[in-house]
Amino acid sequence: MSDQFSDLPKEASTNIVPFSADIEEEKLSELKTLLELSKLPPTTYETLREDGYNGVSGKWMAKAKDYWLNKFDWRASEKQINMLPNFKATVADDDGSEYTLHFAALFSKSPSAVPVIGIHGWPGSFLEFLPMMHKLSKQYELDPENLPFHFINPSMLGYCYSGNTPLDKNWTTADTARLCHKLMLDLGFTSYLSTGGDVGSTVARILAGVYDECKGALMNFCNVPPPDDFDESTLDETYRTSLKRRDDFFERGSAYAMEHGTKTSTIGHVLTSSPLALLAWVGEKFLAWSDEDPPLDDILESVTLWWLTETGARGLYPYRGKFDGTDKGMTARDCYVSKPMGFLWFPKEIIAVPESWIAQTGDLTFFRRHESGGHFAAYEKPDEMIRGISDFVKHVVEEKGVEFVQKGENERVS
């Protein structure tokens, strides 16, 4: 493990303990048995098509099943997870209820390091940020005093190694944001920045829009309609192409979200009934939403983690708010960020709207357009994410003059 980045801040709560990924062998044996018994569908007109138009193909699923059974090594994935500092925190909510949040972290030894919380989306997990974190760990291994920011990478409640959402009340994305905020306070951080994509962009937006301690947000996803004065003729070819991709997604790629949001229990049962069902549902998104197809090992790593932690059913709740109105006031359309807001734009994002559209949703003081990259930006483009976060931190501190003072410290970053 990267011990030089594992020291909790001196003001951190005592309710935070180290964690190591180590799934019981019994669960891995059960997964193998279920895989062996799980049937692939018969060959049909639809399963023969391999370009993604009908979803995952029969050929891809057969190959993935065979590789999952005979070659994939989950224990190697656990070793990669455990090479970074991991923790579990018991976080007390406003009503006294306690929840368990897992997080990976890199704690800089620099007294002027700015805390940054990075939040994953669906169908992702904290794994999305690990390539970036491994690169940072290696880059600053001999020089941890110069890592310019602390990076906190939680599993949202209901995902992976974090605890369950409550059974006796509705749970929303805003509730998850509140817990993430409380986690940062429990770590001793009284000022910080947020970043995220997909659902994580909503959490990052809420943190910056609602909590004084969050001094700004850097996002890479923004689902928002055009401004009233939008003139399509002003767009360059890159933006025109990205809007065509957006239209295609709404027409043929977004049905999953309606299922999640309106028949949450049904799809939860499906995704927990068979590992192949989970692979088809989630694997399709990794293939369709990435700029380049991820290695099969990486897709299986995410799907295996989800299966072993029953995330398939537990992590659907963010979608309900889009259909039952419980996320009203918390989306990009109506949660304005009046603090410094940054955006990293990737052309193969499923919804990649022009800069002028994004600027409606906050004080957009930092914008960077990339030439490649898709929905899983932190995973697909870790170097660009490192530069983006580092430059945004510098921008907020040096150009916007935001000060970061932490509990129990006299140091002031400005």
Side-chain angles (χ1 to χ4, degrees):
M1 188 178 76
S2 304
D3 291 332
Q4 61 268 56
F5 302 106
S6 64
D7 291 339
L8 289 165
K10 61 183 179 181
E11 298 294 334
S13 165
T14 57
N15 292 326
I16 301 172
V17 297
F19 168 78
S20 292
D22 186 17
I23 292 290
E24 301 93 322
E25 192 62 38
E26 181 181 356
K27 288 188 175 182
L28 293 176
S29 297
E30 179 188 67
L31 170 57
K32 185 170 184 178
T33 299
L34 290 170
L35 271 174
E36 290 172 338
L37 296 174
S38 295
K39 289 179 61 177
L40 289 165
T43 300
T44 66
Y45 175 83
E46 292 81 13
T47 63
L48 286 172
R49 187 161 177 169
E50 297 183 27
D51 62 358
Y53 187 83
N54 294 325
V56 288
S57 69
K59 180 180 178 180
W60 187 86
M61 284 295 296
K63 174 186 175 182
K65 177 183 177 179
D66 179 70
Y67 190 91
W68 203 356
L69 262 174
N70 299 306
K71 294 183 180 180
F72 177 73
D73 183 1
W74 170 250
R75 294 303 185 193
S77 296
E78 287 186 332
K79 288 180 181 178
Q80 288 296 308
I81 292 171
N82 292 331
M83 285 178 65
L84 294 166
N86 282 259
F87 303 86
K88 281 193 173 182
T90 301
V91 181
D93 205 358
D94 291 340
D95 63 359
S97 300
E98 293 186 337
Y99 300 96
T100 299
L101 281 185
H102 157 263
F103 64 96
L106 292 176
F107 294 110
S108 172
K109 294 191 181 301
S110 169
S112 61
V114 172
V116 178
I117 182 170
I119 307 102
H120 65 83
W122 188 99
S125 69
F126 79 102
L127 294 177
E128 290 181 51
F129 288 103
L130 293 199
M132 183 188 94
M133 295 177 71
H134 281 299
K135 284 177 173 285
L136 284 169
S137 177
K138 184 176 181 180
Q139 179 180 349
Y140 290 97
E141 181 179 10
L142 302 178
D143 196 20
E145 293 82 7
N146 282 321
L147 177 60
F149 54 87
H150 309 288
F151 192 74
I152 315 302
N153 173 19
S155 298
M156 293 193 299
L157 197 67
Y159 284 72
C160 304
Y161 301 118
S162 286
N164 294 323
T165 55
L167 300 179
D168 58 350
K169 63 180 178 180
N170 186 36
W171 191 264
T172 68
T173 306
D175 294 323
T176 289
R178 186 177 63 254
L179 278 197
C180 288
H181 172 68
K182 290 181 180 296
L183 172 64
M184 295 301 277
L185 298 185
D186 285 352
L187 284 167
F189 300 136
T190 54
S191 51
Y192 63 91
L193 298 172
S194 61
T195 188
D198 191 76
V199 176
S201 71
T202 302
V203 176
R205 177 178 294 278
I206 294 170
L207 289 172
V210 174
Y211 300 102
D212 291 340
E213 291 87 349
C214 185
K215 304 300 183 182
L218 175 68
M219 292 166 278
N220 53 273
F221 183 84
C222 185
N223 181 12
V224 67
D228 293 336
D229 60 353
F230 170 63
D231 181 359
E232 188 174 353
S233 67
T234 63
L235 296 180
D236 62 21
E237 189 59 32
T238 298
Y239 279 142
R240 291 176 184 273
T241 301
S242 71
L243 288 181
K244 174 64 166 58
R245 180 175 172 85
R246 167 183 174 267
D247 293 342
D248 291 345
F249 170 75
F250 285 143
E251 181 178 348
R252 291 195 51 85
S254 60
Y256 79 96
M258 181 172 287
E259 180 71 18
H260 287 187
T262 61
K263 297 295 181 282
T264 314
S265 177
T266 300
I267 189 62
H269 278 84
V270 171
L271 299 182
T272 310
S273 66
S274 162
L276 285 189
L278 182 64
L279 173 61
W281 196 252
V282 170
E284 175 200 294
K285 308 306 184 289
F286 277 104
L287 295 173
W289 296 356
S290 301
D291 190 351
E292 300 178 359
D293 288 353
L296 183 54
D297 265 303
D298 291 357
I299 295 175
L300 292 176
E301 181 178 67
S302 288
V303 176
T304 302
L305 175 61
W306 270 41
W307 179 264
L308 295 171
T309 58
E310 299 181 318
T311 299
R314 297 192 303 134
L316 295 169
Y317 66 88
Y319 289 86
R320 281 190 293 99
K322 301 178 186 300
F323 293 91
D324 65 14
T326 54
D327 69 353
K328 187 175 178 58
M330 295 297 164
T331 67
R333 298 167 185 258
D334 43 27
C335 183
Y336 188 87
V337 176
S338 58
K339 303 164 186 174
M341 187 179 84
F343 200 89
L344 302 178
W345 192 93
F346 295 91
K348 293 300 180 67
E349 176 59 84
I350 53 177
I351 301 175
V353 301
E355 180 180 358
S356 62
W357 298 24
I358 299 165
Q360 301 174 98
T361 72
D363 184 13
L364 187 63
T365 62
F366 181 96
F367 184 87
R368 182 167 294 169
R369 193 168 94 169
H370 294 281
E371 298 302 316
S372 61
H375 184 70
F376 306 96
Y379 160 74
E380 296 180 58
K381 297 291 181 180
D383 291 323
E384 287 83 347
M385 288 298 295
I386 288 172
R387 285 195 294 272
I389 294 173
S390 299
D391 291 348
F392 182 66
V393 167
K394 185 176 181 180
H395 163 75
V396 170
V397 172
E398 296 185 4
E399 296 180 30
K400 305 308 295 182
V402 176
E403 297 181 342
F404 292 81
V405 180
Q406 306 307 339
K407 182 166 41 175
E409 298 180 355
N410 292 322
E411 293 88 351
R412 183 180 300 269
V413 186
S414 59

